[in-house]
Amino acid sequence: MTAQQTTPASEKTTTEYHWIMTVQTPDGRMTTRDAVITVPDGSNGFTRASAFDYVLKQFEADHGSRLAVLFFDLQPNQF
């Protein structure tokens, strides 16, 4: 017989996601960034599209809104 471990309902769990994005500005400059975001499990509002918008807004804050996204990847941050 094996014991099962359970997580109390009051104890929230999270999932980490690693993202990387490369953009090009209108004047031809390219920049790449990456980071890890932590999302509560069961978060109804978290989708790949919402993560993309979140990351793109960070680039737009620094470089303006006329950016061309050349690359975007989002994966669970695990082995």
Side-chain angles (χ1 to χ4, degrees):
M1 179 184 282
T2 59
Q4 291 184 342
Q5 292 183 352
T6 59
T7 302
S10 62
E11 189 177 316
K12 294 187 178 188
T13 59
T14 60
T15 301
E16 288 186 337
Y17 290 87
H18 175 257
W19 62 263
I20 184 168
M21 182 181 274
T22 300
V23 299
Q24 185 173 14
T25 63
D27 64 357
R29 292 179 293 136
M30 287 188 275
T31 185
T32 300
R33 291 185 194 162
D34 75 308
V36 173
I37 57 175
T38 303
V39 178
D41 289 342
S43 179
N44 295 333
F46 181 78
T47 64
R48 183 177 169 86
S50 64
F52 177 86
D53 289 339
Y54 171 79
V55 172
L56 184 58
K57 282 182 179 32
Q58 293 181 33
F59 279 90
E60 289 175 341
D62 292 339
H63 302 288
S65 61
R66 295 181 51 224
L67 301 174
V69 177
L70 304 177
F71 180 81
F72 175 72
D73 188 41
L74 175 75
Q75 299 289 328
N77 191 34
Q78 59 190 2
F79 292 105

